[in-house]
Amino acid sequence: MAWKLVPIWSGNFDFFGRQRDLFSDWLEHFDDDWRAVTFNDSLRRFDRELDRVRRELYKMDAKPSILNVEQPFITDPSGNRKLSLRFDCSQFKPEEITVKTLDNKLNVHAKHIEEGKGRKSYQEFTREYTLPENVDPKQLKSHLSSDGVLEIEAPAPKAVEAPKEVLIPIEHLHSKENSDKGDKK
């Protein structure tokens, strides 16, 4: 039995490694900016671009779903104070957006699924916001503008003004010792 030699190719078999290995054959197809630099410089530039694509490819929505707003209350032109939150929902159709509350938590959720021949696109948006104390969830109203900005508003809670000076009565407690002395007299 005779042995047959099989050529072996060694290298990185992941997608980006194959792209990097094929780069030397593609150099002739790039514009003058790429041809003006040395091969090693252009290879490093190509690697940086592949790394950037890799980071963005595997990165999901990096925004936290729990929303933290420092100053959620505004004063409108009429002088009324109100809670006002805005969300960019321009990539969703109105019927794909839901706004709901559970106890004192506001939840904004939007989901878009698009299917075509041989492809499927899925996009989802979720934000949760803990309503400030004394904001009635039943008072929330939402408006979707024509350019996709979702605005959620509620009247600000009425501030209870504390009186400037309050006299607090002092309760006098009698100890057993004081009551015994009073009995002996």
Side-chain angles (χ1 to χ4, degrees):
M1 176 180 204
W3 288 91
K4 292 188 179 186
L5 294 177
V6 177
I8 297 175
W9 178 79
S10 67
N12 194 341
F13 288 103
D14 72 341
F15 173 78
F16 295 104
R18 289 192 308 258
Q19 298 304 314
R20 209 173 282 115
D21 290 340
L22 292 172
F23 176 69
S24 60
D25 296 336
W26 293 353
L27 190 57
E28 62 201 44
H29 301 291
F30 287 111
D31 60 14
D32 291 334
D33 285 345
W34 281 90
R35 280 191 233 126
V37 295
T38 66
F39 178 75
N40 287 334
D41 288 341
S42 61
L43 187 60
R44 279 191 293 274
R45 183 175 169 187
F46 188 72
D47 281 342
R48 279 194 311 268
E49 182 64 17
L50 279 175
D51 287 339
R52 183 191 65 78
V53 169
R54 181 185 300 119
R55 281 190 311 274
E56 290 178 8
L57 180 69
Y58 297 122
K59 181 171 65 172
M60 297 296 283
D61 185 8
K63 296 178 184 174
S65 65
I66 298 175
L67 189 64
N68 182 17
V69 180
E70 299 274 332
Q71 297 293 326
F73 294 100
I74 63 165
T75 303
D76 67 10
S78 306
N80 301 322
R81 290 212 17 97
K82 62 183 177 179
L83 171 77
S84 180
L85 302 169
R86 291 195 168 111
F87 303 90
D88 180 9
C89 295
S90 59
Q91 299 175 358
F92 301 96
K93 298 174 187 171
E95 60 271 12
E96 297 172 333
I97 304 168
T98 59
V99 179
K100 62 184 176 182
T101 61
L102 178 62
D103 298 326
N104 68 334
K105 298 221 185 282
L106 169 72
N107 184 283
V108 177
H109 183 259
K111 183 164 63 170
H112 176 75
I113 299 173
E114 189 175 313
E115 294 186 51
K117 188 175 181 179
R119 67 177 185 86
K120 185 175 184 178
S121 171
Y122 179 86
Q123 187 170 8
E124 190 169 8
F125 170 91
T126 301
R127 293 293 178 269
E128 185 177 281
Y129 178 70
T130 302
L131 295 170
E133 272 188 44
N134 301 325
V135 171
D136 184 4
K138 295 175 188 167
Q139 297 286 319
L140 290 171
K141 302 223 182 301
S142 64
H143 309 279
L144 185 63
S145 69
S146 59
D147 59 347
V149 176
L150 177 69
E151 183 172 15
I152 300 174
E153 296 179 338
K158 301 291 183 206
V160 178
E161 287 189 33
K164 295 196 187 287
E165 184 179 343
V166 176
L167 183 60
I168 301 171
I170 301 171
E171 185 178 331
H172 297 278
L173 298 176
H174 298 288
S175 68
K176 187 175 182 182
E177 201 176 281
N178 285 342
S179 62
D180 289 343
K181 288 179 184 175
D183 292 341
K184 291 182 183 176
K185 290 185 181 179

